[in-house]
Amino acid sequence: MDDMQLIDLYFARNEAALSETESRYGSYCMSVASRILPLRQDAEEVVNDVYLSLWKAIPPERPDNFKAFVARVTRNAALTKLQHEKRQKRGGGVIPEAIDELAEVLPSGTDPQAVLEEKELSDLISRYLREQTVTKRKLFIQRYFYLLSIEDLSAESGLTKSNVKVTLMRMRNDLQEYLEKEGYKI
Amino acid sequence: MRKDERELNGKKVLSAMEHIDPDLITEAEPGKVPASRIVKLSSNKSWLYAGICAACALVVGGITLGVALSNRPGTEPGSYLASQESESTKQGTESSEGLLALETGHEKTDPSESSPFESEPVTTEIPETEPPVSELEATTDPKISESKDDESRPVPYSPDWDIAAEEGLKYDKPGAGEINAIEPGASDALIHDTISGHDTEVEGEPYPIDIEPIVEPGSSGGETEAPEDPSDKFGILTAGRWNDNNNWGFFKNLVTTEAIHFPAYGLNPVFRSAVTVKDESGSSVKGIKVEAVYSDDDSLIWSAVTNKEGEAYLFLPESENRSWKIKAYDTEGNAVYAGTDVYDLPGKPEDGTPDSQSRTRKQPEELELTVETASRSYKKTQVMFILDTTGSMGDELTYLQADFGKIMERVEADGVSYSWNFYRDEGDDYVTRINGFDTDVNNLKKILNNESADGGGDTPEAVAQILTETMSNAEWDADSVKIAFLIFDAPPHEGTENQITAAVAKAAEQGIHLIPVVSSNSERETELFGRALAIMTDGEYVFLTDDSGVGDSHLEPIIGDYEVQKLGDIIVDIINEYAVIPE
């Protein structure tokens, strides 16, 4: 059964869609959630909720890339859970770090013309990322979509932590210039 | 950028990442979740949680569907079921019943029976190597830490603490009420998501998670102990870093609310103008000199060098009746900008003079210049270490002697030379000990290892002297990125303010980034002195923390959130961030 057929099960309101999703993507969901929520119990709870969210979202959604859709739903749910729990560790964790790192990508938007719709921003980021090497692209997405820590990125890529940080810093600076050149006005 | 704007922008981009091309998302799929990333319950509380889980299972088993339906905010299974049941198809009815079973399956099933969504407790092998002490970002749970640490001093976290203690411990799935963890808003957002159209075949291989037997934790319970062998002491010292220039709104609030105050030993970084220099194409111009001069006689107020982002920070004195303007120079020293705009200095009263010619502009906090010149091409990096070697710095000296070789190994910049410089105080064996820049690791280690911590006595040390001598060092190269780490725990002597101000001005003029590293037993004035040094030279403030358990207590600085890291990592990161890195 491919993903299109799996989606058809959702449309048919066949519960087998859920067990099939859990079988195919359960571990994947856990992996995405575990990188955002360090406590396993929280990640498990979120993954359970993801299945229900998928059930409710499809239909009317018919995602072309089901795995990416699952990743987005899981990420969103994990971030919501994290916010709900209001964990306040010293240092804040990956999410506040990522927010702070990305702060400079968009200059301060006091000019109404500078306000980019999120979809437009997403498209620009996608275009920018497609112009990068695979290694750099993966680093950026693993940091800011999958929210991996610097340590995990280093282990994942084989680069040193310093190299990871410097590469990400440069990419953020490049992205900022890219957005400005694409007409994002300061 | 104000702190709230920074946070908003960061969240916006992070949120936008959700909607990037789905193919990019799947292409970048990461590998296995590292064992250290998955935190289990503390073994100390396993009995408690086991009991809670069992109790929950019994309670949930006794709770009826009506509780789940009535307690679910914004999502109405009942209404969904009703809409389903209103359909005449048998399939719809069966599906709704199925959904009903799904939503309430937790409480209906016997906890001892397996549910299609219940996975076996996953255990992971804890790596035998000592986990990084400072990697607290994803692993610290206050509850777990508290259960482990009976001492007043924080104990470095270790994932060994969090191994499920007993085999067969089952984590029952949360009850139906806890499905409410997803807020309705999130679900609505998902429903309205659209995905870029890409027909990508997804193989649907299950994503692997490492499942291996538990390794019993060590008897120490994961507490980190300082190793006996000095050569094993790399990475023991923990620290944090903070950049006030990048958190300027936050800094100004601290000053306005008098949480912190300046001047600190003559240094007052409060009145800052951030100047960004760009060329006509809009690209940042790096490595050129920007000056604030008095508008009446062109005499110099402050000189700085633009950084990688084309920014230079100018610091202004208070004056009731003088004004200032900007000048900029290319890498050869030729003037490329002579501003005609005149700005008030801080302290100029609002005189309400109607004559527009006598009025000047308010002091701008941010300015942008456009110049016709190229950036400086940096080929080398000079890293200076300036170390207080009085008696109280013994721990820091020992660990730096252990760390330095590995720091050099891990710096990725090209053409890096290092200089070790030391100071104590009047009446000690020496006041200052200056060395030149060198690239030979053995020479550098020899210089460092020949030092010991001794002397001192009173609190202040010869900070003014060492800054004067090092910032005027003839070996600083205009075409090098220049970084100077000042590692100390004591302030300068009173009465040396002019000397210090002159030394810091000299550093800024040459583009030397001062990185104060403040150690244990330091007082608030020393922290503020260090932060002023960093602000005024476009550096960064680093401070040791208690997390390593080494040395005396370290003062918690008045800053925002920060990450605890190994000092060695911070030093390497800072060098790599400022320096020239090969692609």
Side-chain angles (χ1 to χ4, degrees):
Chain A
M1 181 191 303
D2 61 20
D3 279 348
M4 294 299 115
Q5 292 168 320
L6 174 54
I7 292 170
D8 287 340
L9 287 180
Y10 278 94
F11 272 77
R13 309 318 282 160
N14 187 333
E15 279 179 50
L18 293 166
S19 51
E20 187 67 24
T21 301
E22 195 254 349
S23 166
R24 286 172 169 228
Y25 297 112
S27 299
Y28 177 58
C29 288
M30 270 303 297
S31 178
V32 173
S34 293
R35 293 186 189 278
I36 298 171
L37 298 164
L39 278 183
R40 184 172 184 85
Q41 299 90 304
D42 289 341
E44 288 173 348
E45 186 178 318
V46 159
V47 170
N48 271 340
D49 295 336
V50 163
Y51 300 136
L52 197 54
S53 297
L54 291 172
W55 182 260
K56 293 173 72 176
I58 306 171
E61 288 290 342
R62 183 179 276 277
D64 292 320
N65 186 327
F66 185 70
K67 190 172 188 179
F69 187 76
V70 169
R72 287 167 49 196
V73 170
T74 308
R75 178 181 185 264
N76 201 356
L79 287 175
T80 303
K81 173 73 175 172
L82 191 67
Q83 190 179 8
H84 185 72
E85 293 290 327
K86 289 192 174 120
R87 279 206 170 81
Q88 294 294 332
K89 305 184 188 60
R90 187 170 71 176
V94 176
I95 314 304
E97 276 177 20
I99 288 172
D100 200 49
E101 286 168 17
L102 293 171
E104 298 292 347
V105 171
L106 292 185
S108 54
T110 53
D111 180 351
Q113 289 181 334
V115 176
L116 261 182
E117 294 297 329
E118 191 170 282
K119 183 66 171 66
E120 187 182 348
L121 181 57
S122 302
D123 288 344
L124 280 175
I125 293 174
S126 295
R127 277 167 50 192
Y128 164 75
L129 289 174
R130 281 193 218 104
E131 292 173 11
Q132 308 306 308
T133 62
V134 173
T135 302
K136 284 173 142 183
R137 183 163 61 235
K138 279 187 171 182
L139 260 184
F140 194 92
I141 295 173
Q142 287 176 355
R143 178 66 171 163
Y144 301 117
F145 179 85
Y146 288 101
L147 298 166
L148 267 62
S149 65
I150 298 295
E151 189 179 50
D152 289 350
L153 283 173
S154 173
E156 185 74 26
S157 62
L159 302 171
T160 63
K161 283 194 278 189
S162 296
N163 206 337
V164 166
K165 288 187 188 182
V166 170
T167 304
L168 286 172
M169 181 187 70
R170 287 182 172 159
M171 289 190 76
R172 293 194 301 272
N173 291 339
D174 287 346
L175 177 58
Q176 183 183 13
E177 289 186 17
Y178 184 88
L179 292 178
E180 288 173 11
K181 282 181 185 166
E182 290 294 320
Y184 185 94
K185 298 189 190 303
I186 300 173
Chain B
M1 192 189 295
R2 297 202 319 266
K3 192 173 194 292
D4 53 348
E5 285 174 347
R6 284 180 59 84
E7 190 169 343
L8 189 64
N9 282 356
K11 281 182 179 172
K12 192 169 183 176
V13 179
L14 197 68
S15 179
M17 285 298 295
E18 185 180 332
H19 301 287
I20 61 170
D21 185 340
D23 287 344
L24 298 179
I25 294 172
T26 49
E27 179 201 45
E29 185 179 310
K32 298 177 184 179
V33 179
S36 60
R37 200 67 165 81
I38 301 178
V39 174
K40 308 294 193 313
L41 296 176
S42 164
S43 57
N44 290 339
K45 285 191 175 173
S46 59
W47 62 268
L48 177 61
Y49 281 101
I52 291 174
C53 287
C56 282
L58 291 173
V59 169
V60 165
I63 293 175
T64 62
L65 170 63
V67 173
L69 294 173
S70 63
N71 286 343
R72 193 187 184 98
T75 55
E76 299 290 338
S79 62
Y80 177 82
L81 290 172
S83 67
Q84 288 291 338
E85 289 168 358
S86 67
E87 294 176 12
S88 58
T89 60
K90 179 182 177 185
Q91 185 180 13
T93 304
E94 286 178 350
S95 297
S96 66
E97 287 174 350
L99 179 60
L100 186 63
L102 170 68
E103 292 176 1
T104 62
H106 306 305
E107 63 269 37
K108 281 192 173 179
T109 56
D110 184 333
S112 65
E113 293 177 359
S114 63
S115 154
F117 302 113
E118 186 174 80
S119 56
E120 292 299 316
V122 174
T123 59
T124 57
E125 180 181 28
I126 303 301
E128 291 181 7
T129 54
E130 200 67 39
V133 169
S134 60
E135 292 297 333
L136 296 180
E137 64 174 78
T139 55
T140 300
D141 184 317
K143 291 179 287 189
I144 295 172
S145 299
E146 286 165 13
S147 71
K148 187 64 184 174
D149 182 19
D150 293 327
E151 299 172 0
S152 58
R153 176 174 292 172
V155 178
Y157 172 80
S158 165
D160 284 351
W161 301 349
D162 306 304
I163 300 168
E166 292 155 5
E167 290 185 7
L169 179 68
K170 291 184 74 172
Y171 300 122
D172 285 332
K173 286 292 182 286
E178 293 186 66
I179 295 175
N180 298 335
I182 284 197
E183 295 175 8
S187 300
D188 292 337
L190 293 173
I191 290 171
H192 293 295
D193 271 347
T194 56
I195 303 172
S196 306
H198 288 272
D199 294 323
T200 305
E201 188 83 16
V202 177
E203 291 180 4
E205 284 288 329
Y207 200 81
I209 281 187
D210 207 7
I211 302 178
E212 292 178 13
I214 297 173
V215 171
E216 287 297 317
S219 57
S220 67
E223 292 187 23
T224 304
E225 298 174 358
E228 294 298 324
D229 183 357
S231 65
D232 292 337
K233 288 181 181 171
F234 175 72
I236 295 298
L237 291 183
T238 55
R241 57 189 287 193
W242 179 258
N243 191 320
D244 279 304
N245 277 320
N246 290 349
N247 293 279
W248 194 243
F250 182 86
F251 175 80
K252 282 179 59 183
N253 281 339
L254 292 178
V255 172
T256 303
T257 57
E258 299 185 353
I260 59 177
H261 54 87
F262 294 93
Y265 298 94
L267 299 179
N268 188 353
V270 171
F271 303 112
R272 182 195 85 164
S273 264
V275 181
T276 303
V277 183
K278 297 191 175 185
D279 63 20
E280 291 183 339
S281 72
S283 298
S284 306
V285 180
K286 313 165 188 58
I288 68 165
K289 187 174 288 188
V290 178
E291 290 182 345
V293 299
Y294 286 107
S295 58
D296 48 14
D297 63 3
D298 272 10
S299 57
L300 180 66
I301 299 174
W302 193 263
S303 178
V305 177
T306 54
N307 59 24
K308 283 186 173 181
E309 283 75 43
E311 286 176 330
Y313 300 117
L314 303 176
F315 295 91
L316 306 165
E318 290 186 85
S319 171
E320 287 191 358
N321 53 17
R322 296 188 81 178
S323 309
W324 67 283
K325 57 186 181 181
I326 293 184
K327 287 188 170 183
Y329 302 85
D330 66 14
T331 56
E332 302 299 317
N334 303 311
V336 292
Y337 185 92
T340 52
D341 289 337
V342 174
Y343 307 103
D344 293 340
L345 281 170
K348 190 176 178 82
E350 292 282 347
D351 57 15
T353 308
D355 183 354
S356 61
Q357 289 181 349
S358 68
R359 288 183 63 80
T360 55
R361 293 188 184 183
K362 283 289 185 193
Q363 182 212 344
E365 295 210 343
E366 294 179 354
L367 285 166
E368 186 170 310
L369 310 181
T370 302
V371 299
E372 286 183 37
T373 189
S375 293
R376 184 181 297 274
S377 176
Y378 290 112
K379 297 280 190 289
K380 297 174 290 184
T381 303
Q382 292 176 297
V383 179
M384 177 179 282
F385 289 96
I386 307 167
L387 180 60
D388 176 343
T389 52
T390 55
S392 61
M393 294 291 290
D395 283 331
E396 287 81 357
L397 176 60
T398 300
Y399 290 115
L400 280 169
Q401 286 166 335
D403 284 3
F404 180 63
K406 293 206 174 162
I407 287 172
M408 281 187 71
E409 283 172 19
R410 291 167 60 205
V411 166
E412 295 168 9
D414 274 348
V416 183
S417 59
Y418 300 86
S419 164
W420 275 105
N421 303 270
F422 312 98
Y423 70 99
R424 291 180 181 173
D425 206 1
E426 298 289 347
D428 290 330
D429 289 347
Y430 62 83
V431 178
T432 63
R433 196 169 267 175
I434 307 294
N435 294 283
F437 285 95
D438 199 345
T439 55
D440 188 315
V441 60
N442 292 325
N443 286 348
L444 289 161
K445 277 183 169 179
K446 189 177 173 185
I447 291 171
L448 177 59
N449 292 340
N450 276 343
E451 287 297 320
S452 59
D454 197 8
D458 60 347
T459 297
E461 310 295 1
V463 181
Q465 286 96 310
I466 193 69
L467 281 177
T468 299
E469 291 184 39
T470 52
M471 295 304 108
S472 302
N473 188 320
E475 291 192 23
W476 288 114
D477 183 348
D479 290 326
S480 285
V481 172
K482 297 175 275 289
I483 308 164
F485 291 91
L486 172 65
I487 305 165
F488 67 121
D489 66 354
H493 285 278
E494 297 283 347
T496 60
E497 289 80 7
N498 288 343
Q499 198 176 359
I500 288 170
T501 305
V504 172
K506 187 74 176 169
E509 182 187 13
Q510 299 177 88
I512 301 171
H513 303 282
L514 274 170
I515 315 291
V517 180
V518 174
S519 305
S520 56
N521 271 330
S522 301
E523 297 178 352
R524 187 66 66 201
E525 283 299 310
T526 306
E527 171 201 336
L528 298 180
F529 172 66
R531 286 169 76 172
L533 285 176
I535 293 169
M536 297 175 86
T537 60
D538 194 10
E540 199 155 327
Y541 178 68
V542 178
F543 49 95
L544 296 194
T545 69
D546 287 340
D547 300 81
S548 65
V550 173
D552 294 326
S553 175
H554 303 88
L555 179 71
E556 187 74 15
I558 303 176
I559 59 177
D561 284 343
Y562 64 92
E563 178 189 358
V564 177
Q565 299 174 259
K566 296 177 198 173
L567 176 62
D569 282 343
I570 287 180
I571 291 175
V572 171
D573 286 348
I574 286 176
I575 296 173
N576 285 336
E577 285 166 20
Y578 280 98
V580 177
I581 306 282
E583 289 287 336

